[in-house]
Amino acid sequence: MSDIDGFAPIVSSDASVLILGTMPSEASLSRQQYYGHPRNAFWPIMSALFASDPSLSYQRRKEMLMENGIAVWDVLKSCNRLGSLDSKIKLATIRTNDLASFFNEYKGIKRVFFNGRMAEKLYQKRILPTLNHRFSYLDYQCLPSTSPAYASLNLEQKIEAWKVIKQHVVK
């Protein structure tokens, strides 16, 4: 089993919100798209929040996020994982993304939302201790995972929970 590498961030210079996932799924990696699994709720949620057509091309969906001040990235740069579940990540193989440099470059980001508990947990354990006081202005919130593996909430309930993002985007 070899390491898998994540994607570059979706981000624009005027981003005010960062959504952090853990690591792309096998479906996302094969499609080379964030949240590429057909049953992942991320893109339907974003379409509902920003009144866009859910059938837009991936490029257009990325542009829609950037136009609304939303950046997307993952906590992990690479890891070793069998399958797609976060619980299958081999913790000893984790390499994190350089979020300190990211926040330094994109100073407009004030709010970080985690797409699920594992992204939050890994960030708190691996990233937060490395950030210095310059980033103490960041505000954090964990949202329900958009993964199809997280079935405790239906799509409508997830959309309702994710609506908080709209209060924090600065256009």
Side-chain angles (χ1 to χ4, degrees):
M1 187 183 328
S2 60
D3 283 356
I4 46 177
D5 295 317
F7 303 139
I10 297 170
V11 63
S12 66
S13 59
D14 58 352
S16 58
V17 164
L18 172 62
I19 298 171
L20 278 175
T22 307
M23 188 73 187
S25 68
E26 287 183 322
S28 295
L29 291 164
S30 71
R31 295 180 77 182
Q32 287 295 292
Q33 296 181 5
Y34 276 101
Y35 305 105
H37 191 287
R39 288 194 346 264
N40 191 297
F42 181 82
W43 293 112
I45 289 169
M46 292 299 116
S47 292
L49 294 185
F50 299 104
S52 71
D53 182 345
S55 67
L56 292 173
S57 69
Y58 180 64
Q59 181 60 37
R60 189 64 199 104
R61 286 181 280 157
K62 290 192 316 182
E63 290 167 2
M64 179 260 302
L65 290 179
M66 291 186 286
E67 288 163 5
N68 284 285
I70 295 175
V72 174
W73 208 14
D74 287 312
V75 174
L76 302 185
K77 179 181 180 68
S78 68
C79 69
N80 197 288
R81 177 189 67 204
L82 184 61
S84 291
L85 297 177
D86 286 350
S87 60
K88 298 292 185 187
I89 292 171
K90 292 190 179 356
L91 297 179
T93 67
I94 284 175
R95 285 184 31 236
T96 57
N97 277 314
D98 183 357
L99 281 142
S101 293
F102 183 84
F103 294 134
N104 225 17
E105 184 170 350
Y106 300 100
K107 293 178 181 7
I109 293 175
K110 304 288 190 245
R111 185 86 183 204
V112 178
F113 292 95
F114 299 104
N115 187 345
R117 290 271 172 231
M118 181 62 112
E120 179 186 43
K121 187 174 137 189
L122 288 169
Y123 183 93
Q124 288 176 339
K125 183 175 179 159
R126 307 281 181 126
I127 305 289
L128 203 51
T130 69
L131 297 180
N132 64 34
H133 66 280
R134 287 182 303 143
F135 303 110
S136 60
Y137 61 86
L138 290 169
D139 196 11
Y140 302 101
Q141 184 172 346
C142 188
L143 296 172
S145 174
T146 61
S147 168
Y150 182 68
S152 300
L153 301 178
N154 64 31
L155 178 60
E156 290 73 28
Q157 292 168 314
K158 288 181 181 183
I159 289 169
E160 196 57 38
W162 279 72
K163 280 183 180 175
V164 66
I165 286 178
K166 287 195 73 167
Q167 300 164 17
H168 299 282
V169 292
V170 180
K171 291 199 270 185

